Amino acid sequence: MGRRSELAGEGDERIWWFCFRDSLKSKRIKERERVGHLGESYQEWVHQPIVSKEGPRFFGSDFWEFLTRTEWWVIPLVWLPVVCWFVSKSIVMGHTLPQITLMVVTGIGVWTLLEYTLHRFLFHIKTKSYWGNTMHYLLHGCHHKHPMDGLRLVFPPAATAVLCFPFYNLIKLISTPSTAPALFGGGLLGYVMYDVTHYYLHHGQPTSEVPKNLKKYHLNHHFRIQNKGFGITSSLWDKVFGTLPTSVPAEKSR
Protein backbone atom coordinates (compact mmCIF):
# COMPACT_ATOMS: atom_id res chain seq x y z
CA MET A 1 0.00 0.00 0.00
CA GLY A 2 2.81 2.39 0.97
CA ARG A 3 4.70 1.52 -2.25
CA ARG A 4 1.53 2.17 -4.32
CA SER A 5 1.06 5.58 -2.65
CA GLU A 6 4.70 6.39 -3.30
CA LEU A 7 4.32 5.53 -7.02
CA ALA A 8 1.11 7.57 -7.21
CA GLY A 9 2.95 10.50 -5.64
CA GLU A 10 5.74 10.20 -8.20
CA GLY A 11 3.13 10.06 -10.98
CA ASP A 12 1.44 13.20 -9.66
CA GLU A 13 4.81 14.98 -9.56
CA ARG A 14 5.51 14.02 -13.18
CA ILE A 15 2.05 15.16 -14.30
CA TRP A 16 2.51 18.46 -12.44
CA TRP A 17 5.92 18.98 -14.07
CA PHE A 18 4.60 18.29 -17.59
CA CYS A 19 1.65 20.63 -17.02
CA PHE A 20 3.99 23.35 -15.70
CA ARG A 21 6.39 22.90 -18.63
CA ASP A 22 3.57 23.04 -21.20
CA SER A 23 2.09 26.11 -19.50
CA LEU A 24 5.46 27.88 -19.56
CA LYS A 25 5.98 26.91 -23.20
CA SER A 26 2.54 28.25 -24.08
CA LYS A 27 3.19 31.60 -22.34
CA ARG A 28 6.45 32.05 -24.20
CA ILE A 29 4.78 31.34 -27.56
CA LYS A 30 2.06 33.93 -26.92
CA GLU A 31 4.29 36.87 -27.86
CA ARG A 32 4.79 35.44 -31.35
CA GLU A 33 1.04 34.81 -31.69
CA ARG A 34 -0.09 38.29 -30.65
CA VAL A 35 2.25 40.41 -32.79
CA GLY A 36 0.01 39.89 -35.79
CA HIS A 37 -2.87 41.58 -33.97
CA LEU A 38 -0.88 44.72 -33.09
CA GLY A 39 -1.56 46.31 -36.48
CA GLU A 40 0.14 49.68 -36.93
CA SER A 41 1.21 49.65 -33.25
CA TYR A 42 3.61 46.79 -34.04
CA GLN A 43 6.35 49.14 -35.30
CA GLU A 44 6.44 51.10 -32.04
CA TRP A 45 6.17 47.96 -29.90
CA VAL A 46 8.95 46.02 -31.63
CA HIS A 47 11.43 48.89 -31.17
CA GLN A 48 11.03 48.95 -27.39
CA PRO A 49 13.70 46.36 -26.50
CA ILE A 50 13.61 43.95 -23.59
CA VAL A 51 17.18 43.46 -22.33
CA SER A 52 17.23 39.81 -21.31
CA LYS A 53 19.42 36.88 -22.40
CA GLU A 54 16.35 34.66 -22.72
CA GLY A 55 14.09 35.19 -25.71
CA PRO A 56 10.58 33.96 -26.46
CA ARG A 57 9.66 30.58 -27.88
CA PHE A 58 8.54 30.51 -31.53
CA PHE A 59 7.01 27.05 -31.92
CA GLY A 60 5.29 24.42 -29.80
CA SER A 61 7.26 21.68 -31.54
CA ASP A 62 10.70 21.13 -29.97
CA PHE A 63 12.08 20.14 -33.39
CA TRP A 64 11.04 23.37 -35.16
CA GLU A 65 12.08 25.42 -32.14
CA PHE A 66 15.53 23.79 -32.24
CA LEU A 67 15.96 24.94 -35.85
CA THR A 68 15.42 28.59 -34.83
CA ARG A 69 18.18 28.63 -32.18
CA THR A 70 21.87 28.62 -33.10
CA GLU A 71 25.10 28.96 -31.12
CA TRP A 72 27.47 31.48 -32.76
CA TRP A 73 30.32 28.97 -33.21
CA VAL A 74 28.13 26.75 -35.39
CA ILE A 75 28.37 29.31 -38.21
CA PRO A 76 32.15 29.11 -38.84
CA LEU A 77 32.12 25.38 -38.06
CA VAL A 78 29.54 24.69 -40.78
CA TRP A 79 30.37 27.29 -43.43
CA LEU A 80 34.16 27.78 -43.44
CA PRO A 81 34.75 24.28 -44.93
CA VAL A 82 32.14 25.13 -47.58
CA VAL A 83 33.98 28.39 -48.33
CA CYS A 84 37.25 26.47 -48.76
CA TRP A 85 35.60 23.93 -51.06
CA PHE A 86 34.15 26.59 -53.38
CA VAL A 87 37.43 28.54 -53.52
CA SER A 88 39.38 25.35 -54.22
CA LYS A 89 37.15 24.68 -57.24
CA SER A 90 38.36 27.89 -58.88
CA ILE A 91 41.97 27.04 -57.99
CA VAL A 92 41.62 23.62 -59.66
CA MET A 93 40.25 25.36 -62.76
CA GLY A 94 43.58 27.17 -63.15
CA HIS A 95 43.27 30.56 -61.47
CA THR A 96 46.37 32.05 -59.82
CA LEU A 97 46.57 33.08 -56.16
CA PRO A 98 46.30 36.85 -56.94
CA GLN A 99 43.22 36.15 -59.10
CA ILE A 100 41.64 34.04 -56.36
CA THR A 101 42.37 36.74 -53.77
CA LEU A 102 40.73 39.38 -55.97
CA MET A 103 37.63 37.22 -56.49
CA VAL A 104 37.28 36.42 -52.78
CA VAL A 105 37.70 40.09 -51.80
CA THR A 106 35.14 41.05 -54.46
CA GLY A 107 32.73 38.48 -53.02
CA ILE A 108 33.21 39.91 -49.53
CA GLY A 109 32.62 43.43 -50.83
CA VAL A 110 29.42 42.40 -52.60
CA TRP A 111 28.26 40.73 -49.37
CA THR A 112 28.71 43.97 -47.38
CA LEU A 113 26.38 45.73 -49.83
CA LEU A 114 23.89 42.84 -49.65
CA GLU A 115 24.11 42.92 -45.83
CA TYR A 116 23.22 46.62 -45.84
CA THR A 117 20.46 46.25 -48.45
CA LEU A 118 18.75 43.32 -46.71
CA HIS A 119 18.96 44.99 -43.31
CA ARG A 120 17.60 48.31 -44.50
CA PHE A 121 14.91 47.30 -47.00
CA LEU A 122 13.79 43.82 -45.87
CA PHE A 123 14.55 43.54 -42.15
CA HIS A 124 13.20 47.05 -41.53
CA ILE A 125 10.22 46.94 -43.86
CA LYS A 126 7.11 48.62 -42.41
CA THR A 127 4.29 46.15 -41.77
CA LYS A 128 0.82 46.37 -40.23
CA SER A 129 -1.11 43.33 -41.47
CA TYR A 130 -1.41 40.16 -39.38
CA TRP A 131 0.88 38.07 -41.57
CA GLY A 132 3.21 40.98 -42.34
CA ASN A 133 3.82 41.62 -38.64
CA THR A 134 4.19 37.91 -37.88
CA MET A 135 6.68 37.27 -40.69
CA HIS A 136 8.68 40.39 -39.83
CA TYR A 137 8.78 39.38 -36.17
CA LEU A 138 10.10 35.91 -37.01
CA LEU A 139 12.64 37.29 -39.49
CA HIS A 140 14.08 40.27 -37.59
CA GLY A 141 11.56 41.87 -35.23
CA CYS A 142 12.25 39.40 -32.42
CA HIS A 143 15.93 40.39 -32.56
CA HIS A 144 15.02 44.04 -32.00
CA LYS A 145 12.57 43.15 -29.22
CA HIS A 146 15.08 40.79 -27.53
CA PRO A 147 18.50 42.04 -28.72
CA MET A 148 20.51 40.08 -26.15
CA ASP A 149 19.02 36.66 -26.95
CA GLY A 150 22.29 34.93 -27.84
CA LEU A 151 20.66 31.98 -29.61
CA ARG A 152 18.89 34.16 -32.18
CA LEU A 153 21.75 36.45 -33.16
CA VAL A 154 23.07 34.34 -36.03
CA PHE A 155 21.17 32.88 -38.98
CA PRO A 156 20.28 29.15 -38.66
CA PRO A 157 22.38 27.00 -41.06
CA ALA A 158 19.31 25.23 -42.47
CA ALA A 159 17.81 28.55 -43.61
CA THR A 160 21.17 29.73 -44.97
CA ALA A 161 21.56 26.52 -46.98
CA VAL A 162 18.19 27.10 -48.65
CA LEU A 163 19.14 30.69 -49.57
CA CYS A 164 22.55 29.65 -50.93
CA PHE A 165 21.01 27.93 -53.96
CA PRO A 166 19.41 30.98 -55.63
CA PHE A 167 22.40 33.19 -54.79
CA TYR A 168 24.90 30.72 -56.28
CA ASN A 169 22.77 30.31 -59.41
CA LEU A 170 22.63 34.10 -59.78
CA ILE A 171 26.42 34.35 -59.52
CA LYS A 172 26.82 31.58 -62.13
CA LEU A 173 24.50 33.54 -64.40
CA ILE A 174 26.55 36.76 -64.28
CA SER A 175 30.08 35.29 -64.14
CA THR A 176 32.12 32.51 -65.74
CA PRO A 177 32.15 28.83 -64.70
CA SER A 178 35.67 29.15 -63.27
CA THR A 179 35.16 32.42 -61.35
CA ALA A 180 31.71 31.72 -59.91
CA PRO A 181 32.90 29.32 -57.15
CA ALA A 182 35.53 31.74 -55.76
CA LEU A 183 33.15 34.72 -55.98
CA PHE A 184 30.47 32.75 -54.14
CA GLY A 185 33.04 31.50 -51.60
CA GLY A 186 34.06 35.11 -50.95
CA GLY A 187 30.44 36.15 -50.48
CA LEU A 188 29.88 33.23 -48.10
CA LEU A 189 33.02 34.18 -46.17
CA GLY A 190 31.62 37.73 -45.93
CA TYR A 191 28.43 36.26 -44.46
CA VAL A 192 30.40 34.26 -41.86
CA MET A 193 32.32 37.41 -40.88
CA TYR A 194 29.02 39.28 -40.60
CA ASP A 195 27.32 36.72 -38.34
CA VAL A 196 30.23 36.25 -35.92
CA THR A 197 30.79 40.03 -35.82
CA HIS A 198 27.11 40.58 -35.08
CA TYR A 199 27.26 38.16 -32.14
CA TYR A 200 30.43 39.80 -30.83
CA LEU A 201 28.92 43.29 -31.00
CA HIS A 202 26.11 42.14 -28.70
CA HIS A 203 28.01 39.92 -26.28
CA GLY A 204 31.72 40.69 -26.65
CA GLN A 205 33.67 43.15 -24.53
CA PRO A 206 36.05 44.86 -26.97
CA THR A 207 39.11 46.66 -25.62
CA SER A 208 40.61 48.17 -28.79
CA GLU A 209 39.24 51.28 -30.50
CA VAL A 210 37.82 49.88 -33.76
CA PRO A 211 35.62 47.11 -32.30
CA LYS A 212 34.56 49.39 -29.42
CA ASN A 213 33.34 52.00 -31.91
CA LEU A 214 31.61 49.35 -34.01
CA LYS A 215 29.83 48.00 -30.91
CA LYS A 216 28.63 51.51 -29.97
CA TYR A 217 27.56 52.05 -33.56
CA HIS A 218 25.44 48.89 -33.64
CA LEU A 219 23.91 49.29 -30.17
CA ASN A 220 23.00 52.83 -31.20
CA HIS A 221 20.89 51.22 -33.95
CA HIS A 222 19.13 49.04 -31.38
CA PHE A 223 18.58 51.46 -28.51
CA ARG A 224 18.46 54.95 -30.00
CA ILE A 225 17.97 55.39 -33.77
CA GLN A 226 16.54 52.24 -35.34
CA ASN A 227 16.02 53.77 -38.80
CA LYS A 228 19.73 54.47 -39.36
CA GLY A 229 23.02 52.58 -38.99
CA PHE A 230 22.16 49.47 -41.02
CA GLY A 231 25.74 48.30 -41.52
CA ILE A 232 26.97 45.57 -39.15
CA THR A 233 30.54 44.82 -40.22
CA SER A 234 31.13 48.37 -41.44
CA SER A 235 29.50 51.81 -41.66
CA LEU A 236 30.68 52.20 -45.30
CA TRP A 237 27.30 51.85 -47.01
CA ASP A 238 25.57 54.02 -44.41
CA LYS A 239 27.99 56.78 -45.41
CA VAL A 240 27.40 56.15 -49.13
CA PHE A 241 23.59 56.11 -48.90
CA GLY A 242 23.10 58.78 -46.23
CA THR A 243 21.87 56.60 -43.37
CA LEU A 244 24.72 57.36 -41.01
CA PRO A 245 23.28 58.21 -37.56
CA THR A 246 24.20 61.40 -35.73
CA SER A 247 27.36 61.37 -33.64
CA VAL A 248 25.62 61.61 -30.24
CA PRO A 249 27.08 58.84 -28.04
CA ALA A 250 25.07 55.66 -28.06
CA GLU A 251 23.24 54.51 -25.01
CA LYS A 252 25.51 52.58 -22.70
CA SER A 253 25.52 48.83 -23.29
CA ARG A 254 23.80 46.90 -20.55
Side-chain angles (χ1 to χ4, degrees):
M1 185 71 177
R3 175 64 178 156
R4 234 180 296 175
S5 299
E6 198 176 308
L7 288 171
E10 287 177 5
D12 288 343
E13 276 186 27
R14 276 198 294 268
I15 291 169
W16 176 86
W17 163 246
F18 285 127
C19 288
F20 172 74
R21 185 194 66 180
D22 291 343
S23 170
L24 188 63
K25 187 188 291 186
S26 175
K27 283 178 183 175
R28 291 172 65 200
I29 294 172
K30 279 183 180 176
E31 180 173 289
R32 188 260 297 171
E33 291 177 342
R34 72 187 177 93
V35 294
H37 299 287
L38 291 175
E40 293 181 354
S41 302
Y42 168 73
Q43 293 298 325
E44 182 183 356
W45 174 85
V46 81
H47 292 305
Q48 295 173 351
I50 297 171
V51 184
S52 167
K53 289 188 178 180
E54 184 178 2
R57 189 179 177 95
F58 281 0
F59 301 105
S61 161
D62 289 336
F63 172 74
W64 292 112
E65 183 66 13
F66 168 75
L67 292 180
T68 71
R69 295 173 177 269
T70 310
E71 296 279 0
W72 73 268
W73 49 263
V74 171
I75 302 305
L77 184 69
V78 169
W79 294 116
L80 286 182
V82 179
V83 169
C84 293
W85 184 77
F86 272 101
V87 172
S88 70
K89 285 185 70 176
S90 288
I91 295 173
V92 169
M93 291 181 191
H95 285 285
T96 63
L97 186 58
Q99 290 173 333
I100 292 293
T101 303
L102 179 61
M103 286 183 276
V104 170
V105 170
T106 300
I108 293 172
V110 170
W111 164 260
T112 63
L113 178 58
L114 184 62
E115 166 197 314
Y116 172 88
T117 304
L118 289 173
H119 192 188
R120 180 179 177 182
F121 296 107
L122 178 62
F123 294 173
H124 280 267
I125 191 172
K126 303 294 182 187
T127 61
K128 59 181 179 181
S129 68
Y130 176 85
W131 288 111
N133 288 352
T134 301
M135 292 305 295
H136 179 269
Y137 175 80
L138 293 174
L139 181 66
H140 191 64
C142 180
H143 173 54
H144 268 267
K145 192 66 182 176
H146 303 274
M148 302 310 289
D149 180 357
L151 294 178
R152 290 211 175 95
L153 272 168
V154 296
F155 211 57
T160 305
V162 171
L163 293 174
C164 277
F165 285 100
F167 279 115
Y168 185 46
N169 284 318
L170 177 62
I171 290 171
K172 286 196 294 184
L173 193 65
I174 61 176
S175 61
T176 66
S178 65
T179 60
L183 286 169
F184 180 75
L188 193 57
L189 178 59
Y191 157 71
V192 173
M193 293 163 64
Y194 152 78
D195 246 356
V196 296
T197 299
H198 190 204
Y199 183 89
Y200 182 74
L201 296 182
H202 281 264
H203 291 283
Q205 299 299 327
T207 54
S208 57
E209 199 64 24
V210 173
K212 278 174 78 173
N213 288 337
L214 202 55
K215 182 181 175 80
K216 285 181 182 179
Y217 186 78
H218 185 60
L219 294 185
N220 187 55
H221 170 74
H222 273 281
F223 294 102
R224 197 172 71 86
I225 307 177
Q226 291 89 0
N227 63 347
K228 290 187 184 293
F230 298 107
I232 307 296
T233 52
S234 156
S235 60
L236 170 65
W237 299 110
D238 283 305
K239 292 172 183 173
V240 171
F241 294 112
T243 52
L244 197 68
T246 53
S247 58
V248 178
E251 201 172 307
K252 189 178 178 182
S253 170
R254 291 175 229 182

